[in-house]
Amino acid sequence: MGKIIGHYIMPHPPIIIKEIGKGEENKAINTVSACNKIGEEISKLRPDTIIIITPHGHLFRDALSISMLPKVSGDLGSFNAPEVKFNIDVDLKLTKKIRDKAYKEGIITVPIDEKASMQYGTSPELDHGSMVPLYFVNNYYINYQIVHITYGILSKEELYRFGMIIKESVEESNSTTVVIASGDLSHRLNNKSPYGVAEHGEAFDKKCMELLQNGDILGLFSLDRKIVKDAGECGLRSFYILSGTMDGCEVKGETLSYEGPFGIGYGVMKFYTRECEERKLLSKISDIKKKEMKRIRECEDIYAKLARSSLEHYVKTGKYIHVPVLYEKMLTERNGVFVSIKKDGELRGCIGTVFPTTDCVAKEIIKNAVEAGQRDPRFLPVEERELPDLEYSVDILMPPIKATKKELDPKKYGVIVRKGSRIGILLPDLDGVDTVEEQISIALEKADIDENEDYEIEKFEVIRKGSKC
């Protein structure tokens, strides 16, 4: 019978590798020492397999990806250290067992091999989110196989369930295994960060490390989404999966190191577990989600309610909803409308019209809600099982006016760029779009307009609807 004999959290900044840092790694010496400690401990455990969960492999919005080649290799040449190489056998038997169980649970996994890499235009090689932690393992121990997993933009509940699947699969195998969750904390701790400073960066890191150390898994799943988004982390989804691998256990974490010398939070932690039937948490995590969605529904304004009703009716019946009796403005005013749909805080669809295409705002919302949920080319159509987890916002567009770059403000104005029949549109006040340059660049890319072309710019304001809270 197989068993998970170690659970760890490790960061992945390439600069902490001496061949890359060339002395700069000493600014994060506590992190380096803690990672070496984990490598040394793993050498004493002598696991058959290391399961590593990374943010930086083949990332999908609706699936996890898992390496399915007999060997995975890679080097850190993109960080000027091509001599740091990896060539590791994949535990295909355990990997297949995990994929088969996930399939039965309705969780999609994409096998990454040569064919998939060609299909998705990516490389099958190891990513730095895996190689940096494994560098410190390989300093002490190399006689292991690997299961290489890249998390997907799935719900917290699905990621936890996937962790449970990993645990069950290991227990049905003959392998002794350790699990490493690779992930950095806030990328916006202070002005040393290349990503800027977040109001809640330090608070997020402190709370996250405290919850993990206390083994407060439910607290980890209850973190305020606005704080998480503001912090700009890349580790939480790895931690959610890791938590699932400890389901049914009392959990305590030991902080081996925490620091942020480059404005990015690096946490290193090991966990102690003890089997405890009362600590099966999936239903409680589901309850957290239900309470969160109940609060969101209670906060919906009439515009968001109409968008939701429209998509739900269409998904269930294949027909557009009849225009309900609403207050007069929605039935008499004509404006362009964008409907945005999010799932677990991540975009799930967004489509709209700059100018009205129907005879009232209500019909515009009804039509564009369906378009956003069913025909946004970036996403698969929304399925009925997803409907309870979706959030809606509606932007009512004011008529656009010609503008110069100097007149733009990405927080106040949306932007339209035009060159002949090519048009790119970007709404105002979007997460991660903080400068005019970023706003213009994204709009040009959407329109397939080169920045050196002679294009026109328009700006517009919106009235944003959705939540009354």
Side-chain angles (χ1 to χ4, degrees), residues 145-214:
Q145 294 182 305
I146 194 175
V147 174
H148 179 263
I149 299 166
T150 303
Y151 65 57
I153 312 299
L154 307 183
S155 71
K156 292 183 281 190
E157 181 182 354
E158 288 173 312
L159 294 172
Y160 188 86
R161 277 202 295 129
F162 186 75
M164 293 172 61
I165 288 166
I166 291 174
K167 182 181 180 183
E168 292 166 8
S169 300
V170 169
E171 290 174 348
E172 292 176 12
S173 75
N174 296 316
S175 298
T176 56
T177 305
V178 301
V179 182
I180 298 173
S182 172
D184 297 336
L185 296 170
S186 175
H187 286 57
R188 302 170 184 164
L189 283 181
N190 52 51
N191 54 19
K192 293 180 181 178
S193 167
Y195 305 99
V197 183
E199 178 184 354
H200 301 293
E202 288 189 16
F204 167 80
D205 280 15
K206 181 178 179 181
K207 188 64 176 177
C208 192
M209 293 296 288
E210 177 186 303
L211 292 168
L212 289 164
Q213 184 167 296
N214 293 336

Side-chain angles (χ1 to χ4, degrees), residues 27-96:
K27 294 179 181 178
I29 193 63
N30 293 332
T31 302
V32 172
S33 298
C35 289
N36 275 314
K37 184 175 180 178
I38 287 178
E40 192 171 5
E41 182 171 303
I42 288 175
S43 75
K44 294 174 182 176
L45 292 172
R46 301 188 65 80
D48 301 312
T49 300
I50 293 176
I51 298 173
I52 189 153
I53 305 155
T54 173
H56 294 302
H58 306 267
L59 186 66
F60 294 96
R61 294 181 183 274
D62 55 354
L64 301 104
S65 62
I66 304 184
S67 295
M68 286 295 291
L69 292 166
K71 286 180 179 287
V72 284
S73 60
D75 64 59
L76 291 168
S78 58
F79 299 96
N80 299 314
E83 70 276 18
V84 181
K85 300 176 183 290
F86 301 81
N87 189 31
I88 309 170
D89 290 335
V90 173
D91 188 339
L92 288 173
K93 188 174 180 180
L94 179 56
T95 299
K96 185 176 185 303

